[in-house]
Amino acid sequence: MRLDVFTLVPHAFAWLTEQRPLATVLGGELDLRLFSYRDTTPLGSGTVDDEPYGGGAGMVLRVDVVAAALDAVYDGPPAHRVVALSPQGRQLTQEVVEELAKEDHLTLLSARFEGFDERIVEHLCTDSLSIGPYVLSNGDLPAMVLVDAIARRLPGALAEGSGELESFSPELGGRLEHPQYTRPAEFRGWRVPDVLLSGDHGKIERWRKEHVR
Ligand SMILES: C[S@@+](CC[C@H](N)C(=O)[O-])C[C@H]1O[C@@H](n2cnc3c(N)ncnc32)[C@H](O)[C@@H]1O
């Protein structure tokens, strides 16, 4: 999958690209490319945003800047989905992640301050996605959330079996995974359930199924 992110801070994604499972698929199943609006802005001195028409606080990301950035990379209207990250978008769920992870090519657009000139969302994007009903300062953390959530669904990202029975998966009926425990078996009087120490795989399977929440 090719995943393109347009941002003002491409360097901020360096940390993410070093983390597994993303690092595992990078350069293989995942071709992650980062672009800065500043590199292609048609305005002077790296300007990318402007004051809102009608007045008010803050700055708005300009439509001509985003159009120039997309034109420079795609040389015309992209044939794939272009997603604006916005608190006003469709809410992100695991179902949406699974849907996006099936795409061959996807573009994410991040904004900051007051957000996008609405014409960007209307005319240059196919989707608008929110990572939750709260407002962050910019779209870079939301972009990273999406990149990570998508990357871990790509083939080879996770050890075999570990991605199927997860919280929100269809296999668990969209519910939450059973509780997990590791050593020590007892700590401050808090004991791991006996069944998990029993070595009886049938009983353990039953206990896990009963404890899906
Ligand atoms: C401060 S927000 C703009 C908020 C906007 N003025 C509003 O009231 O809806 C700046 C940018 O951060 C990103 N952002 C903030 N919260 C987000 C969320 N919950 N999901 C996705 N993107 C978000 C978007 O790219 C947004 O344009």
Side-chain angles (χ1 to χ4, degrees):
M1 175 187 206
R2 176 165 158 192
L3 190 42
D4 299 338
V5 182
F6 289 76
T7 167
L8 285 164
V9 286
H11 59 273
F13 289 71
W15 167 83
L16 182 68
T17 58
E18 290 163 8
Q19 308 304 310
R20 280 199 291 177
L22 197 144
T24 310
V25 286
L26 208 54
E29 289 289 336
L30 179 64
D31 177 5
L32 177 67
R33 302 192 195 181
L34 299 160
F35 301 97
S36 169
Y37 299 117
R38 286 195 208 289
D39 291 343
T40 48
T41 177
L43 310 171
S45 59
T47 303
V48 297
D49 31 32
D50 216 327
E51 294 162 356
Y53 276 125
M59 299 289 272
V60 177
L61 186 58
R62 287 176 56 133
V63 63
D64 50 351
V65 168
V66 174
L70 294 174
D71 283 350
V73 175
Y74 306 123
D75 201 19
H80 58 275
R81 288 168 80 171
V82 177
V83 179
L85 294 159
S86 164
Q88 300 170 17
R90 172 186 176 201
Q91 205 88 168
L92 184 65
T93 60
Q94 189 62 35
E95 217 177 328
V96 177
V97 170
E98 303 295 337
E99 175 193 312
L100 295 177
K102 292 194 182 91
E103 299 290 337
D104 291 329
H105 194 172
L106 191 65
T107 291
L108 307 180
L109 303 184
S110 167
R112 61 176 185 173
F113 303 141
E114 284 308 310
F116 298 100
D117 180 309
E118 192 61 22
R119 291 168 291 182
I120 298 169
V121 181
E122 258 179 49
H123 301 291
L124 300 179
C125 297
T126 57
D127 302 71
S128 173
L129 277 180
S130 164
I131 64 159
Y134 44 80
V135 179
L136 297 165
S137 306
N138 59 61
D140 297 303
L141 288 173
M144 288 187 213
V145 165
L146 256 175
V147 171
D148 181 80
I150 290 170
R152 64 194 304 289
R153 300 310 301 161
L154 297 179
L158 301 175
E160 205 168 321
S162 80
E164 280 109 58
L165 285 172
E166 281 192 321
S167 297
F168 313 114
S169 62
E171 287 78 356
L172 294 187
R175 293 186 295 158
L176 305 178
E177 192 188 58
H178 57 78
Q180 301 273 13
Y181 298 89
T182 186
R183 282 187 273 268
E186 182 165 349
F187 180 72
R188 295 183 179 167
W190 308 326
R191 277 195 54 76
V192 168
D194 286 337
V195 61
L196 298 180
L197 310 174
S198 68
D200 183 332
H201 295 296
K203 273 191 187 162
I204 293 172
E205 249 347 275
R206 270 199 302 284
W207 182 91
R208 286 183 166 164
K209 281 198 179 111
E210 285 162 15
H211 287 78
V212 166
R213 296 165 274 183

